[in-house]
Amino acid sequence: RDDFAGVRRGLHALARAGSPDPHHGHLMRYVNPVDGGWAMPTMATMIRLLPAGFATRACRSSASLVSIVVEGRGAVEAGGQRFDLAPHDVFVIPGWIPYTIEAAEELVVFSYSDRVAQEKLGFFREQRS
């Protein structure tokens, strides 16, 4: 049984519905079904799909981001360093470090961050290049 099948279907439906966001790709938030907010009170959880050949534009935020490659291959560039990505790789983007992600093949990345806590405190900021 593939418990990830529903998430994968949701990502592909999102991809069919329109072009990827230039900075995040096709990004789907995990939400609290009761209030529609973030799924956890202090942590933001999300998953993104980047089509093969797609490269995000640089962005940065005050939130620190921990990401895990679920499927596919690509590369991340952050803080002037480039790292190849493959399934099960984990990478961390510290707050306010610009980063880009590119997909050599269709790439699915799960991420979590402290964005929710920062939003509640009024500290969260994002800058898109």
Side-chain angles (χ1 to χ4, degrees):
R1 187 178 111 187
D2 185 358
D3 292 331
F4 185 65
V7 173
R8 188 180 294 112
R9 281 192 303 274
L11 284 169
H12 285 113
L14 190 61
R16 286 190 303 275
S19 299
D21 177 272
H23 298 89
H24 299 296
H26 298 290
L27 185 70
M28 188 167 63
R29 289 177 26 166
Y30 285 89
V31 297
N32 179 331
V34 174
D35 64 11
W38 291 102
M40 293 186 280
T42 58
M43 300 297 288
T45 52
M46 63 212 84
I47 194 159
R48 75 178 83 200
L49 177 128
L50 303 178
F54 181 81
T56 65
R57 292 184 188 161
C59 68
R60 64 182 179 170
S61 79
S62 56
S64 295
L65 185 71
V66 177
S67 298
I68 301 97
V69 177
V70 179
E71 297 175 340
R73 298 189 181 281
V76 61
E77 186 173 320
Q81 296 186 25
R82 182 180 170 88
F83 301 95
D84 290 333
L85 299 173
H88 310 291
D89 284 349
V90 176
F91 62 95
V92 177
I93 309 293
W96 215 242
I97 299 294
Y99 73 96
T100 60
I101 303 174
E102 61 183 68
E105 58 190 50
E106 186 174 85
L107 185 64
V108 177
V109 178
F110 171 83
S111 302
Y112 64 92
S113 77
D114 57 345
R115 176 179 177 157
V116 177
Q118 289 190 22
E119 286 176 344
K120 289 180 178 183
L121 294 168
F123 297 151
F124 179 76
R125 300 288 178 270
E126 182 179 57
Q127 184 179 57
R128 296 171 171 229
S129 300

